[in-house]
Amino acid sequence: MNEFRTRRTTLAATGLAVVAVLALSGCKSGNEETGAAKTASPSAAQPSQSAYAPDTSAAPSSSASPSAAAPATGGGAAAKAGQQFKIGEQATFPFASGSTKGTIALAVTAIEKGQPTDLAPFKLGDKVKGMVPYYIRYQVKNVGTTDLSFASVGHIKGHLGDGTEAQDLLVIGKFDKCPNDSLPKGFTNGQVTAGCAVALAPSAETKVASAEYWGDPFTLGKGITWK
């Protein structure tokens, strides 16, 4: 039986470009959205941004190095739960986003270290004090027969060098350092697009070393990883 635990702190920011909520998620199925996403304000559809990040209370530490950028390669493997890929290597699997179903080839192409100052627009204050953002950049290719227009490829999170989960910063709205839009209109067979997810390292000495996709047909902690 899958369990989901979330701790949320809501911050209001009148007139600011961003709003952020800190949340920590536990195990759940790939068909479920995070608790923070379920409670996203309707204003997220407006030009302002919203972001969600895990609570800092359980931040682990690690000394592993981030992966460098690499182009997506290969025709894609038949991905299995728990399988590990190299940065830039494609993994092919059945994909579902709500009622939309198809097949995609997904590749994490880079895990890039950002700067603590990148988090300033989110006005999280001490909740992210000392934390460092890492940008998990990925490429999605439609290799099925279904039009995946406007589907969302979420469920991508970082892991620290010791294998523990990094903290998420899920952004709704425009964040230039890490764009993460829905798949574009006309995303049919052969179409390719790029996306980005944000993971937070608890300190400058700890690095995000790998990334996991845990959406359908996988589950959190039993997904596919890139390192």
Side-chain angles (χ1 to χ4, degrees), residues 115-156:
Q115 298 296 323
T117 53
D118 295 349
L119 302 175
F122 299 105
K123 305 296 182 182
L124 291 169
D126 288 343
K127 292 180 175 60
V128 292
K129 184 177 181 180
M131 300 181 72
V132 180
Y134 280 77
Y135 304 123
I136 302 171
R137 305 195 186 278
Y138 58 89
Q139 182 185 93
V140 183
K141 181 177 182 180
N142 188 343
V143 294
T145 59
T146 306
D147 185 344
L148 299 178
S149 296
F150 310 121
S152 177
V153 182
H155 303 93
I156 294 177

PDB file of all heavy atoms in Angstrom, residues 115-156:
ATOM      1  N   GLN A 115      23.054  28.732  -8.114  1.00  0.00           N
ATOM      2  CA  GLN A 115      23.561  29.549  -7.026  1.00  0.00           C
ATOM      3  C   GLN A 115      22.461  29.753  -5.974  1.00  0.00           C
ATOM      4  O   GLN A 115      21.273  29.837  -6.317  1.00  0.00           O
ATOM      5  CB  GLN A 115      24.021  30.913  -7.547  1.00  0.00           C
ATOM      6  CG  GLN A 115      25.151  30.843  -8.549  1.00  0.00           C
ATOM      7  CD  GLN A 115      26.428  30.267  -7.947  1.00  0.00           C
ATOM      8  OE1 GLN A 115      26.742  30.528  -6.767  1.00  0.00           O
ATOM      9  NE2 GLN A 115      27.161  29.490  -8.720  1.00  0.00           N
ATOM     10  N   PRO A 116      22.807  29.823  -4.694  1.00  0.00           N
ATOM     11  CA  PRO A 116      21.795  30.078  -3.672  1.00  0.00           C
ATOM     12  C   PRO A 116      20.963  31.320  -3.965  1.00  0.00           C
ATOM     13  O   PRO A 116      19.768  31.371  -3.647  1.00  0.00           O
ATOM     14  CB  PRO A 116      22.624  30.235  -2.395  1.00  0.00           C
ATOM     15  CG  PRO A 116      23.853  29.408  -2.644  1.00  0.00           C
ATOM     16  CD  PRO A 116      24.153  29.599  -4.109  1.00  0.00           C
ATOM     17  N   THR A 117      21.571  32.308  -4.596  1.00  0.00           N
ATOM     18  CA  THR A 117      20.850  33.541  -4.914  1.00  0.00           C
ATOM     19  C   THR A 117      19.746  33.317  -5.942  1.00  0.00           C
ATOM     20  O   THR A 117      18.839  34.153  -6.071  1.00  0.00           O
ATOM     21  CB  THR A 117      21.818  34.605  -5.439  1.00  0.00           C
ATOM     22  OG1 THR A 117      22.590  34.061  -6.525  1.00  0.00           O
ATOM     23  CG2 THR A 117      22.767  35.068  -4.340  1.00  0.00           C
ATOM     24  N   ASP A 118      19.801  32.196  -6.673  1.00  0.00           N
ATOM     25  CA  ASP A 118      18.739  31.881  -7.637  1.00  0.00           C
ATOM     26  C   ASP A 118      17.393  31.718  -6.938  1.00  0.00           C
ATOM     27  O   ASP A 118      16.336  31.864  -7.567  1.00  0.00           O
ATOM     28  CB  ASP A 118      19.053  30.581  -8.393  1.00  0.00           C
ATOM     29  CG  ASP A 118      20.288  30.695  -9.279  1.00  0.00           C
ATOM     30  OD1 ASP A 118      20.781  31.817  -9.480  1.00  0.00           O
ATOM     31  OD2 ASP A 118      20.752  29.646  -9.763  1.00  0.00           O
ATOM     32  N   LEU A 119      17.431  31.376  -5.648  1.00  0.00           N
ATOM     33  CA  LEU A 119      16.201  31.115  -4.903  1.00  0.00           C
ATOM     34  C   LEU A 119      15.558  32.378  -4.347  1.00  0.00           C
ATOM     35  O   LEU A 119      14.437  32.337  -3.849  1.00  0.00           O
ATOM     36  CB  LEU A 119      16.492  30.143  -3.751  1.00  0.00           C
ATOM     37  CG  LEU A 119      17.081  28.785  -4.144  1.00  0.00           C
ATOM     38  CD1 LEU A 119      17.434  27.991  -2.884  1.00  0.00           C
ATOM     39  CD2 LEU A 119      16.113  28.003  -5.011  1.00  0.00           C
ATOM     40  N   ALA A 120      16.267  33.493  -4.443  1.00  0.00           N
ATOM     41  CA  ALA A 120      15.773  34.738  -3.857  1.00  0.00           C
ATOM     42  C   ALA A 120      14.373  35.135  -4.324  1.00  0.00           C
ATOM     43  O   ALA A 120      13.555  35.597  -3.502  1.00  0.00           O
ATOM     44  CB  ALA A 120      16.768  35.867  -4.137  1.00  0.00           C
ATOM     45  N   PRO A 121      14.032  34.976  -5.630  1.00  0.00           N
ATOM     46  CA  PRO A 121      12.690  35.398  -6.071  1.00  0.00           C
ATOM     47  C   PRO A 121      11.554  34.648  -5.391  1.00  0.00           C
ATOM     48  O   PRO A 121      10.422  35.130  -5.386  1.00  0.00           O
ATOM     49  CB  PRO A 121      12.718  35.095  -7.580  1.00  0.00           C
ATOM     50  CG  PRO A 121      14.160  35.119  -7.951  1.00  0.00           C
ATOM     51  CD  PRO A 121      14.861  34.540  -6.772  1.00  0.00           C
ATOM     52  N   PHE A 122      11.839  33.483  -4.814  1.00  0.00           N
ATOM     53  CA  PHE A 122      10.785  32.701  -4.186  1.00  0.00           C
ATOM     54  C   PHE A 122      10.472  33.150  -2.761  1.00  0.00           C
ATOM     55  O   PHE A 122       9.519  32.666  -2.147  1.00  0.00           O
ATOM     56  CB  PHE A 122      11.143  31.218  -4.216  1.00  0.00           C
ATOM     57  CG  PHE A 122      11.303  30.680  -5.606  1.00  0.00           C
ATOM     58  CD1 PHE A 122      12.558  30.414  -6.122  1.00  0.00           C
ATOM     59  CD2 PHE A 122      10.207  30.470  -6.415  1.00  0.00           C
ATOM     60  CE1 PHE A 122      12.709  29.941  -7.410  1.00  0.00           C
ATOM     61  CE2 PHE A 122      10.344  30.005  -7.710  1.00  0.00           C
ATOM     62  CZ  PHE A 122      11.604  29.737  -8.209  1.00  0.00           C
ATOM     63  N   LYS A 123      11.272  34.059  -2.221  1.00  0.00           N
ATOM     64  CA  LYS A 123      11.013  34.655  -0.908  1.00  0.00           C
ATOM     65  C   LYS A 123      10.795  33.597   0.182  1.00  0.00           C
ATOM     66  O   LYS A 123       9.879  33.692   0.997  1.00  0.00           O
ATOM     67  CB  LYS A 123       9.781  35.580  -0.979  1.00  0.00           C
ATOM     68  CG  LYS A 123       9.883  36.664  -2.050  1.00  0.00           C
ATOM     69  CD  LYS A 123      11.017  37.631  -1.773  1.00  0.00           C
ATOM     70  CE  LYS A 123      11.083  38.730  -2.828  1.00  0.00           C
ATOM     71  NZ  LYS A 123      12.223  39.651  -2.601  1.00  0.00           N
ATOM     72  N   LEU A 124      11.668  32.584   0.194  1.00  0.00           N
ATOM     73  CA  LEU A 124      11.534  31.514   1.175  1.00  0.00           C
ATOM     74  C   LEU A 124      12.340  31.768   2.450  1.00  0.00           C
ATOM     75  O   LEU A 124      12.214  31.029   3.419  1.00  0.00           O
ATOM     76  CB  LEU A 124      11.970  30.180   0.541  1.00  0.00           C
ATOM     77  CG  LEU A 124      11.028  29.656  -0.534  1.00  0.00           C
ATOM     78  CD1 LEU A 124      11.666  28.503  -1.288  1.00  0.00           C
ATOM     79  CD2 LEU A 124       9.711  29.220   0.068  1.00  0.00           C
ATOM     80  N   GLY A 125      13.200  32.760   2.419  1.00  0.00           N
ATOM     81  CA  GLY A 125      13.936  33.142   3.611  1.00  0.00           C
ATOM     82  C   GLY A 125      14.751  32.021   4.226  1.00  0.00           C
ATOM     83  O   GLY A 125      15.457  31.285   3.537  1.00  0.00           O
ATOM     84  N   ASP A 126      14.619  31.878   5.545  1.00  0.00           N
ATOM     85  CA  ASP A 126      15.413  30.896   6.279  1.00  0.00           C
ATOM     86  C   ASP A 126      15.074  29.456   5.901  1.00  0.00           C
ATOM     87  O   ASP A 126      15.848  28.540   6.196  1.00  0.00           O
ATOM     88  CB  ASP A 126      15.213  31.069   7.786  1.00  0.00           C
ATOM     89  CG  ASP A 126      15.885  32.332   8.310  1.00  0.00           C
ATOM     90  OD1 ASP A 126      16.750  32.885   7.594  1.00  0.00           O
ATOM     91  OD2 ASP A 126      15.543  32.766   9.432  1.00  0.00           O
ATOM     92  N   LYS A 127      13.934  29.240   5.274  1.00  0.00           N
ATOM     93  CA  LYS A 127      13.540  27.875   4.901  1.00  0.00           C
ATOM     94  C   LYS A 127      14.486  27.267   3.870  1.00  0.00           C
ATOM     95  O   LYS A 127      14.535  26.050   3.720  1.00  0.00           O
ATOM     96  CB  LYS A 127      12.101  27.864   4.402  1.00  0.00           C
ATOM     97  CG  LYS A 127      11.082  28.178   5.489  1.00  0.00           C
ATOM     98  CD  LYS A 127       9.685  28.162   4.937  1.00  0.00           C
ATOM     99  CE  LYS A 127       8.659  28.350   6.056  1.00  0.00           C
ATOM    100  NZ  LYS A 127       8.819  29.615   6.777  1.00  0.00           N
ATOM    101  N   VAL A 128      15.201  28.106   3.130  1.00  0.00           N
ATOM    102  CA  VAL A 128      16.172  27.582   2.161  1.00  0.00           C
ATOM    103  C   VAL A 128      17.574  28.118   2.452  1.00  0.00           C
ATOM    104  O   VAL A 128      18.444  28.075   1.582  1.00  0.00           O
ATOM    105  CB  VAL A 128      15.757  27.922   0.713  1.00  0.00           C
ATOM    106  CG1 VAL A 128      14.496  27.172   0.321  1.00  0.00           C
ATOM    107  CG2 VAL A 128      15.569  29.423   0.523  1.00  0.00           C
ATOM    108  N   LYS A 129      17.779  28.592   3.665  1.00  0.00           N
ATOM    109  CA  LYS A 129      19.082  29.127   4.035  1.00  0.00           C
ATOM    110  C   LYS A 129      20.168  28.059   3.875  1.00  0.00           C
ATOM    111  O   LYS A 129      20.045  26.949   4.393  1.00  0.00           O
ATOM    112  CB  LYS A 129      19.057  29.627   5.472  1.00  0.00           C
ATOM    113  CG  LYS A 129      20.360  30.298   5.903  1.00  0.00           C
ATOM    114  CD  LYS A 129      20.247  30.841   7.313  1.00  0.00           C
ATOM    115  CE  LYS A 129      21.538  31.526   7.740  1.00  0.00           C
ATOM    116  NZ  LYS A 129      21.430  32.067   9.129  1.00  0.00           N
ATOM    117  N   GLY A 130      21.210  28.376   3.144  1.00  0.00           N
ATOM    118  CA  GLY A 130      22.318  27.455   2.933  1.00  0.00           C
ATOM    119  C   GLY A 130      22.103  26.453   1.818  1.00  0.00           C
ATOM    120  O   GLY A 130      23.027  25.728   1.451  1.00  0.00           O
ATOM    121  N   MET A 131      20.899  26.378   1.278  1.00  0.00           N
ATOM    122  CA  MET A 131      20.593  25.387   0.250  1.00  0.00           C
ATOM    123  C   MET A 131      21.049  25.869  -1.123  1.00  0.00           C
ATOM    124  O   MET A 131      21.152  27.073  -1.381  1.00  0.00           O
ATOM    125  CB  MET A 131      19.097  25.085   0.247  1.00  0.00           C
ATOM    126  CG  MET A 131      18.592  24.540   1.560  1.00  0.00           C
ATOM    127  SD  MET A 131      16.828  24.141   1.550  1.00  0.00           S
ATOM    128  CE  MET A 131      16.853  22.683   0.532  1.00  0.00           C
ATOM    129  N   VAL A 132      21.323  24.896  -1.989  1.00  0.00           N
ATOM    130  CA  VAL A 132      21.814  25.202  -3.337  1.00  0.00           C
ATOM    131  C   VAL A 132      20.928  24.506  -4.365  1.00  0.00           C
ATOM    132  O   VAL A 132      20.694  23.299  -4.270  1.00  0.00           O
ATOM    133  CB  VAL A 132      23.272  24.723  -3.525  1.00  0.00           C
ATOM    134  CG1 VAL A 132      23.764  25.043  -4.932  1.00  0.00           C
ATOM    135  CG2 VAL A 132      24.180  25.367  -2.477  1.00  0.00           C
ATOM    136  N   PRO A 133      20.408  25.234  -5.352  1.00  0.00           N
ATOM    137  CA  PRO A 133      19.570  24.597  -6.376  1.00  0.00           C
ATOM    138  C   PRO A 133      20.406  23.880  -7.428  1.00  0.00           C
ATOM    139  O   PRO A 133      21.496  24.333  -7.792  1.00  0.00           O
ATOM    140  CB  PRO A 133      18.825  25.785  -6.999  1.00  0.00           C
ATOM    141  CG  PRO A 133      19.784  26.926  -6.859  1.00  0.00           C
ATOM    142  CD  PRO A 133      20.507  26.696  -5.550  1.00  0.00           C
ATOM    143  N   TYR A 134      19.894  22.761  -7.887  1.00  0.00           N
ATOM    144  CA  TYR A 134      20.477  22.046  -9.028  1.00  0.00           C
ATOM    145  C   TYR A 134      19.378  21.906 -10.079  1.00  0.00           C
ATOM    146  O   TYR A 134      18.228  21.607  -9.755  1.00  0.00           O
ATOM    147  CB  TYR A 134      20.990  20.669  -8.604  1.00  0.00           C
ATOM    148  CG  TYR A 134      22.338  20.721  -7.929  1.00  0.00           C
ATOM    149  CD1 TYR A 134      22.449  21.135  -6.604  1.00  0.00           C
ATOM    150  CD2 TYR A 134      23.502  20.367  -8.604  1.00  0.00           C
ATOM    151  CE1 TYR A 134      23.678  21.197  -5.972  1.00  0.00           C
ATOM    152  CE2 TYR A 134      24.743  20.426  -7.975  1.00  0.00           C
ATOM    153  CZ  TYR A 134      24.820  20.845  -6.664  1.00  0.00           C
ATOM    154  OH  TYR A 134      26.044  20.910  -6.046  1.00  0.00           O
ATOM    155  N   TYR A 135      19.766  22.113 -11.329  1.00  0.00           N
ATOM    156  CA  TYR A 135      18.812  22.083 -12.422  1.00  0.00           C
ATOM    157  C   TYR A 135      18.955  20.773 -13.202  1.00  0.00           C
ATOM    158  O   TYR A 135      19.977  20.516 -13.828  1.00  0.00           O
ATOM    159  CB  TYR A 135      19.027  23.288 -13.332  1.00  0.00           C
ATOM    160  CG  TYR A 135      18.928  24.584 -12.553  1.00  0.00           C
ATOM    161  CD1 TYR A 135      19.973  25.505 -12.533  1.00  0.00           C
ATOM    162  CD2 TYR A 135      17.793  24.859 -11.796  1.00  0.00           C
ATOM    163  CE1 TYR A 135      19.873  26.677 -11.808  1.00  0.00           C
ATOM    164  CE2 TYR A 135      17.687  26.036 -11.060  1.00  0.00           C
ATOM    165  CZ  TYR A 135      18.732  26.940 -11.065  1.00  0.00           C
ATOM    166  OH  TYR A 135      18.626  28.090 -10.330  1.00  0.00           O
ATOM    167  N   ILE A 136      17.911  19.956 -13.115  1.00  0.00           N
ATOM    168  CA  ILE A 136      17.893  18.676 -13.820  1.00  0.00           C
ATOM    169  C   ILE A 136      17.266  18.928 -15.187  1.00  0.00           C
ATOM    170  O   ILE A 136      16.059  19.121 -15.314  1.00  0.00           O
ATOM    171  CB  ILE A 136      17.078  17.630 -13.040  1.00  0.00           C
ATOM    172  CG1 ILE A 136      17.666  17.434 -11.638  1.00  0.00           C
ATOM    173  CG2 ILE A 136      17.033  16.299 -13.807  1.00  0.00           C
ATOM    174  CD1 ILE A 136      16.800  16.572 -10.732  1.00  0.00           C
ATOM    175  N   ARG A 137      18.097  18.952 -16.205  1.00  0.00           N
ATOM    176  CA  ARG A 137      17.624  19.236 -17.558  1.00  0.00           C
ATOM    177  C   ARG A 137      17.386  17.915 -18.287  1.00  0.00           C
ATOM    178  O   ARG A 137      18.197  16.985 -18.209  1.00  0.00           O
ATOM    179  CB  ARG A 137      18.628  20.107 -18.297  1.00  0.00           C
ATOM    180  CG  ARG A 137      18.932  21.395 -17.520  1.00  0.00           C
ATOM    181  CD  ARG A 137      19.624  22.441 -18.329  1.00  0.00           C
ATOM    182  NE  ARG A 137      20.007  23.563 -17.483  1.00  0.00           N
ATOM    183  CZ  ARG A 137      19.201  24.558 -17.123  1.00  0.00           C
ATOM    184  NH1 ARG A 137      17.940  24.542 -17.547  1.00  0.00           N
ATOM    185  NH2 ARG A 137      19.627  25.542 -16.349  1.00  0.00           N
ATOM    186  N   TYR A 138      16.260  17.850 -18.972  1.00  0.00           N
ATOM    187  CA  TYR A 138      15.901  16.601 -19.633  1.00  0.00           C
ATOM    188  C   TYR A 138      15.291  16.858 -21.006  1.00  0.00           C
ATOM    189  O   TYR A 138      14.858  17.965 -21.327  1.00  0.00           O
ATOM    190  CB  TYR A 138      14.937  15.788 -18.766  1.00  0.00           C
ATOM    191  CG  TYR A 138      13.646  16.489 -18.403  1.00  0.00           C
ATOM    192  CD1 TYR A 138      12.521  16.407 -19.221  1.00  0.00           C
ATOM    193  CD2 TYR A 138      13.544  17.221 -17.214  1.00  0.00           C
ATOM    194  CE1 TYR A 138      11.334  17.039 -18.880  1.00  0.00           C
ATOM    195  CE2 TYR A 138      12.362  17.851 -16.863  1.00  0.00           C
ATOM    196  CZ  TYR A 138      11.261  17.756 -17.701  1.00  0.00           C
ATOM    197  OH  TYR A 138      10.090  18.390 -17.364  1.00  0.00           O
ATOM    198  N   GLN A 139      15.277  15.801 -21.806  1.00  0.00           N
ATOM    199  CA  GLN A 139      14.734  15.848 -23.158  1.00  0.00           C
ATOM    200  C   GLN A 139      13.652  14.783 -23.287  1.00  0.00           C
ATOM    201  O   GLN A 139      13.822  13.660 -22.811  1.00  0.00           O
ATOM    202  CB  GLN A 139      15.843  15.598 -24.184  1.00  0.00           C
ATOM    203  CG  GLN A 139      15.388  15.668 -25.638  1.00  0.00           C
ATOM    204  CD  GLN A 139      16.506  15.296 -26.585  1.00  0.00           C
ATOM    205  OE1 GLN A 139      16.650  14.149 -26.986  1.00  0.00           O
ATOM    206  NE2 GLN A 139      17.332  16.271 -26.924  1.00  0.00           N
ATOM    207  N   VAL A 140      12.555  15.146 -23.914  1.00  0.00           N
ATOM    208  CA  VAL A 140      11.432  14.230 -24.110  1.00  0.00           C
ATOM    209  C   VAL A 140      11.175  14.075 -25.604  1.00  0.00           C
ATOM    210  O   VAL A 140      11.076  15.072 -26.329  1.00  0.00           O
ATOM    211  CB  VAL A 140      10.145  14.755 -23.437  1.00  0.00           C
ATOM    212  CG1 VAL A 140       9.016  13.731 -23.590  1.00  0.00           C
ATOM    213  CG2 VAL A 140      10.390  15.078 -21.979  1.00  0.00           C
ATOM    214  N   LYS A 141      11.054  12.844 -26.059  1.00  0.00           N
ATOM    215  CA  LYS A 141      10.711  12.574 -27.458  1.00  0.00           C
ATOM    216  C   LYS A 141       9.464  11.687 -27.491  1.00  0.00           C
ATOM    217  O   LYS A 141       9.380  10.697 -26.762  1.00  0.00           O
ATOM    218  CB  LYS A 141      11.855  11.874 -28.182  1.00  0.00           C
ATOM    219  CG  LYS A 141      11.559  11.581 -29.658  1.00  0.00           C
ATOM    220  CD  LYS A 141      12.759  10.953 -30.345  1.00  0.00           C
ATOM    221  CE  LYS A 141      12.472  10.708 -31.821  1.00  0.00           C
ATOM    222  NZ  LYS A 141      13.659  10.093 -32.512  1.00  0.00           N
ATOM    223  N   ASN A 142       8.506  12.047 -28.322  1.00  0.00           N
ATOM    224  CA  ASN A 142       7.313  11.221 -28.498  1.00  0.00           C
ATOM    225  C   ASN A 142       7.644  10.114 -29.484  1.00  0.00           C
ATOM    226  O   ASN A 142       7.898  10.363 -30.657  1.00  0.00           O
ATOM    227  CB  ASN A 142       6.158  12.075 -29.026  1.00  0.00           C
ATOM    228  CG  ASN A 142       4.840  11.308 -29.053  1.00  0.00           C
ATOM    229  OD1 ASN A 142       4.812  10.087 -28.992  1.00  0.00           O
ATOM    230  ND2 ASN A 142       3.738  12.035 -29.154  1.00  0.00           N
ATOM    231  N   VAL A 143       7.665   8.881 -28.989  1.00  0.00           N
ATOM    232  CA  VAL A 143       7.983   7.742 -29.859  1.00  0.00           C
ATOM    233  C   VAL A 143       6.758   6.839 -30.042  1.00  0.00           C
ATOM    234  O   VAL A 143       6.875   5.726 -30.563  1.00  0.00           O
ATOM    235  CB  VAL A 143       9.174   6.928 -29.297  1.00  0.00           C
ATOM    236  CG1 VAL A 143      10.447   7.761 -29.324  1.00  0.00           C
ATOM    237  CG2 VAL A 143       8.894   6.447 -27.877  1.00  0.00           C
ATOM    238  N   GLY A 144       5.593   7.338 -29.616  1.00  0.00           N
ATOM    239  CA  GLY A 144       4.362   6.575 -29.770  1.00  0.00           C
ATOM    240  C   GLY A 144       3.468   7.169 -30.833  1.00  0.00           C
ATOM    241  O   GLY A 144       3.877   8.037 -31.612  1.00  0.00           O
ATOM    242  N   THR A 145       2.240   6.725 -30.856  1.00  0.00           N
ATOM    243  CA  THR A 145       1.289   7.165 -31.879  1.00  0.00           C
ATOM    244  C   THR A 145       0.273   8.178 -31.353  1.00  0.00           C
ATOM    245  O   THR A 145      -0.545   8.684 -32.117  1.00  0.00           O
ATOM    246  CB  THR A 145       0.532   5.942 -32.444  1.00  0.00           C
ATOM    247  OG1 THR A 145      -0.159   5.287 -31.369  1.00  0.00           O
ATOM    248  CG2 THR A 145       1.501   4.965 -33.096  1.00  0.00           C
ATOM    249  N   THR A 146       0.335   8.486 -30.067  1.00  0.00           N
ATOM    250  CA  THR A 146      -0.631   9.395 -29.446  1.00  0.00           C
ATOM    251  C   THR A 146      -0.116  10.831 -29.459  1.00  0.00           C
ATOM    252  O   THR A 146       1.064  11.076 -29.202  1.00  0.00           O
ATOM    253  CB  THR A 146      -0.890   8.986 -27.988  1.00  0.00           C
ATOM    254  OG1 THR A 146      -1.284   7.623 -27.934  1.00  0.00           O
ATOM    255  CG2 THR A 146      -1.973   9.844 -27.365  1.00  0.00           C
ATOM    256  N   ASP A 147      -0.988  11.765 -29.749  1.00  0.00           N
ATOM    257  CA  ASP A 147      -0.656  13.186 -29.634  1.00  0.00           C
ATOM    258  C   ASP A 147      -0.616  13.539 -28.150  1.00  0.00           C
ATOM    259  O   ASP A 147      -1.616  13.437 -27.444  1.00  0.00           O
ATOM    260  CB  ASP A 147      -1.712  14.027 -30.353  1.00  0.00           C
ATOM    261  CG  ASP A 147      -1.361  15.515 -30.380  1.00  0.00           C
ATOM    262  OD1 ASP A 147      -0.486  15.941 -29.612  1.00  0.00           O
ATOM    263  OD2 ASP A 147      -1.990  16.246 -31.172  1.00  0.00           O
ATOM    264  N   LEU A 148       0.545  13.953 -27.658  1.00  0.00           N
ATOM    265  CA  LEU A 148       0.735  14.246 -26.238  1.00  0.00           C
ATOM    266  C   LEU A 148       0.705  15.745 -25.945  1.00  0.00           C
ATOM    267  O   LEU A 148       1.240  16.200 -24.929  1.00  0.00           O
ATOM    268  CB  LEU A 148       2.054  13.646 -25.745  1.00  0.00           C
ATOM    269  CG  LEU A 148       2.186  12.127 -25.865  1.00  0.00           C
ATOM    270  CD1 LEU A 148       3.562  11.669 -25.399  1.00  0.00           C
ATOM    271  CD2 LEU A 148       1.096  11.423 -25.073  1.00  0.00           C
ATOM    272  N   SER A 149       0.069  16.506 -26.819  1.00  0.00           N
ATOM    273  CA  SER A 149      -0.021  17.955 -26.621  1.00  0.00           C
ATOM    274  C   SER A 149      -0.496  18.311 -25.223  1.00  0.00           C
ATOM    275  O   SER A 149      -1.481  17.751 -24.728  1.00  0.00           O
ATOM    276  CB  SER A 149      -1.004  18.551 -27.632  1.00  0.00           C
ATOM    277  OG  SER A 149      -0.553  18.384 -28.960  1.00  0.00           O
ATOM    278  N   PHE A 150       0.252  19.213 -24.580  1.00  0.00           N
ATOM    279  CA  PHE A 150      -0.095  19.797 -23.283  1.00  0.00           C
ATOM    280  C   PHE A 150      -0.020  18.807 -22.116  1.00  0.00           C
ATOM    281  O   PHE A 150      -0.392  19.157 -20.990  1.00  0.00           O
ATOM    282  CB  PHE A 150      -1.494  20.431 -23.321  1.00  0.00           C
ATOM    283  CG  PHE A 150      -1.683  21.353 -24.496  1.00  0.00           C
ATOM    284  CD1 PHE A 150      -2.687  21.113 -25.423  1.00  0.00           C
ATOM    285  CD2 PHE A 150      -0.841  22.431 -24.691  1.00  0.00           C
ATOM    286  CE1 PHE A 150      -2.858  21.958 -26.516  1.00  0.00           C
ATOM    287  CE2 PHE A 150      -1.001  23.280 -25.778  1.00  0.00           C
ATOM    288  CZ  PHE A 150      -2.011  23.047 -26.691  1.00  0.00           C
ATOM    289  N   ALA A 151       0.459  17.595 -22.349  1.00  0.00           N
ATOM    290  CA  ALA A 151       0.677  16.663 -21.249  1.00  0.00           C
ATOM    291  C   ALA A 151       1.841  17.166 -20.389  1.00  0.00           C
ATOM    292  O   ALA A 151       2.699  17.926 -20.848  1.00  0.00           O
ATOM    293  CB  ALA A 151       0.970  15.260 -21.765  1.00  0.00           C
ATOM    294  N   SER A 152       1.882  16.759 -19.149  1.00  0.00           N
ATOM    295  CA  SER A 152       2.920  17.199 -18.226  1.00  0.00           C
ATOM    296  C   SER A 152       3.862  16.052 -17.883  1.00  0.00           C
ATOM    297  O   SER A 152       3.425  14.987 -17.452  1.00  0.00           O
ATOM    298  CB  SER A 152       2.284  17.739 -16.942  1.00  0.00           C
ATOM    299  OG  SER A 152       3.274  18.106 -16.008  1.00  0.00           O
ATOM    300  N   VAL A 153       5.160  16.276 -18.105  1.00  0.00           N
ATOM    301  CA  VAL A 153       6.175  15.285 -17.718  1.00  0.00           C
ATOM    302  C   VAL A 153       6.794  15.760 -16.396  1.00  0.00           C
ATOM    303  O   VAL A 153       7.794  16.458 -16.364  1.00  0.00           O
ATOM    304  CB  VAL A 153       7.254  15.125 -18.803  1.00  0.00           C
ATOM    305  CG1 VAL A 153       8.273  14.053 -18.394  1.00  0.00           C
ATOM    306  CG2 VAL A 153       6.622  14.748 -20.134  1.00  0.00           C
ATOM    307  N   GLY A 154       6.132  15.427 -15.306  1.00  0.00           N
ATOM    308  CA  GLY A 154       6.654  15.765 -13.987  1.00  0.00           C
ATOM    309  C   GLY A 154       7.320  14.546 -13.377  1.00  0.00           C
ATOM    310  O   GLY A 154       7.905  13.725 -14.068  1.00  0.00           O
ATOM    311  N   HIS A 155       7.223  14.431 -12.054  1.00  0.00           N
ATOM    312  CA  HIS A 155       7.738  13.258 -11.342  1.00  0.00           C
ATOM    313  C   HIS A 155       9.229  13.018 -11.600  1.00  0.00           C
ATOM    314  O   HIS A 155       9.678  11.885 -11.716  1.00  0.00           O
ATOM    315  CB  HIS A 155       6.940  12.009 -11.721  1.00  0.00           C
ATOM    316  CG  HIS A 155       5.475  12.135 -11.464  1.00  0.00           C
ATOM    317  ND1 HIS A 155       4.591  12.565 -12.421  1.00  0.00           N
ATOM    318  CD2 HIS A 155       4.743  11.893 -10.344  1.00  0.00           C
ATOM    319  CE1 HIS A 155       3.364  12.579 -11.914  1.00  0.00           C
ATOM    320  NE2 HIS A 155       3.428  12.198 -10.660  1.00  0.00           N
ATOM    321  N   ILE A 156       9.990  14.105 -11.693  1.00  0.00           N
ATOM    322  CA  ILE A 156      11.443  13.991 -11.816  1.00  0.00           C
ATOM    323  C   ILE A 156      12.055  14.647 -10.592  1.00  0.00           C
ATOM    324  O   ILE A 156      11.774  15.803 -10.290  1.00  0.00           O
ATOM    325  CB  ILE A 156      11.958  14.669 -13.099  1.00  0.00           C
ATOM    326  CG1 ILE A 156      11.431  13.923 -14.324  1.00  0.00           C
ATOM    327  CG2 ILE A 156      13.480  14.703 -13.114  1.00  0.00           C
ATOM    328  CD1 ILE A 156      11.816  14.543 -15.652  1.00  0.00           C
TER     329      ILE A 156
END
